[in-house]
Amino acid sequence: SVEPSTDLLERNGNTYTFTGDIFGAITVRKAGITIDGAGYTLQGNSRGINLVGHDETYNAYSNVLVKNLRISNFAEGIYTPSNNNSFIGNFFDNARLHILGGPVGNVIRNNIFNSTEIFIDYNMGGNDVITENNFIDSSIFVDIAKPPIVDQNYWSNYTAEYPDAKEVDDSGIWDTPNVYDKFIGGSHGDYPCIDYHPLVKPITDFEVADFKNLLPSPTPITTPH
């Protein structure tokens, strides 16, 4: 369902494709669907895509794919249980991705997070996989949860945090892990929050070519003499 209602979503079986920009909110009420943004924008101010369902339970709709969508200016761009959903090739622009408890885990890959936070909340599974994304002035925050599986992401603030880091043998990976959430203890738990293989350059593998133009140039690598 879309509020306010719109004819800018075209349905073909279980795939719902944007045909224009939408200002509003989407509530998913069915498992196993695909939402294809086709490069268009979902914009609003409160919650963009609600995957927790009308009754807001942790075990709501699963096997949902959201791809190729620009999600802009929401307090929560996507609100989802950790329930085998996938978010691939999207641009989150000031639109938090909120993941809470669920039995399985989600896949978050090839997205751009700009001025945005991934919030892992009340999720003790630790099975969400966050890999090959670009974090531009963005972060992951873990609270009353186990850290997700985070590996091989690009972090725009990495060289400022680790000015002495070096690339490992032209591998595209820095030699120093990135501690992306430095708060340990209390509601954060006692687990380290680390990307062990941070990327030197941004990921550009997007189905929507325009999203590549939204990436900053990576910081040049300096070689000591």
Side-chain angles (χ1 to χ4, degrees):
S1 64
V2 182
E3 296 179 1
S5 61
T6 178
D7 58 359
L8 296 176
L9 271 180
E10 180 178 84
R11 181 180 180 184
N12 182 6
N14 285 330
T15 298
Y16 297 77
T17 303
F18 277 57
T19 60
D21 296 336
I22 294 176
F23 188 96
I26 296 173
T27 298
V28 173
R29 300 177 183 269
K30 180 181 179 181
I33 70 167
T34 294
I35 299 173
D36 186 349
Y40 289 106
T41 298
L42 176 67
Q43 185 173 349
N45 49 41
S46 181
R47 183 177 293 171
I49 298 178
N50 184 5
L51 285 169
V52 182
H54 59 281
D55 56 353
E56 304 225 341
T57 64
Y58 290 170
N59 299 314
Y61 308 108
S62 61
N63 298 300
V64 172
L65 168 63
V66 179
K67 66 175 186 175
N68 307 326
L69 179 62
R70 180 169 182 166
I71 306 169
S72 183
N73 293 325
F74 285 100
E76 293 183 334
I78 296 180
Y79 184 49
T80 178
S82 181
N83 206 17
N84 203 35
N85 298 308
S86 299
F87 312 113
I88 298 175
N90 303 290
F91 179 56
F92 291 79
D93 184 19
N94 189 31
R96 170 195 270 183
L97 172 57
H98 186 177
I99 302 172
L100 68 162
V104 183
N106 297 317
V107 174
I108 299 99
R109 179 166 57 84
N110 289 170
N111 301 283
I112 301 172
F113 294 95
N114 181 61
S115 299
T116 292
E117 175 186 80
I118 298 179
F119 181 32
I120 312 294
D121 179 28
Y122 284 98
N123 184 359
M124 302 313 297
N127 296 319
D128 295 287
V129 177
I130 302 174
T131 186
E132 298 180 0
N133 301 283
N134 301 302
F135 287 89
I136 313 302
D137 297 324
S138 297
S139 61
I140 302 174
F141 182 75
V142 178
D143 193 40
I144 315 181
K146 285 186 178 179
I149 300 165
V150 177
D151 195 49
Q152 296 191 47
N153 298 279
Y154 172 79
W155 306 83
S156 66
N157 63 346
Y158 179 86
T159 53
E161 291 283 327
Y162 305 97
D164 297 325
K166 298 178 178 60
E167 185 179 8
V168 178
D169 299 329
D170 296 321
S171 64
I173 294 172
W174 292 112
D175 64 354
T176 305
N178 180 42
V179 182
Y180 62 83
D181 188 344
K182 296 178 172 59
F183 296 98
I184 301 297
S187 64
H188 298 267
D190 298 320
Y191 302 94
C193 300
I194 299 173
D195 184 338
Y196 286 96
H197 304 97
L199 298 180
V200 171
K201 297 179 181 179
I203 292 288
T204 58
D205 187 16
F206 297 98
E207 187 173 325
V208 177
D210 288 348
F211 287 172
K212 299 175 185 178
N213 300 327
L214 302 171
L215 291 168
S217 298
T219 304
I221 302 172
T222 57
T223 303
H225 297 287

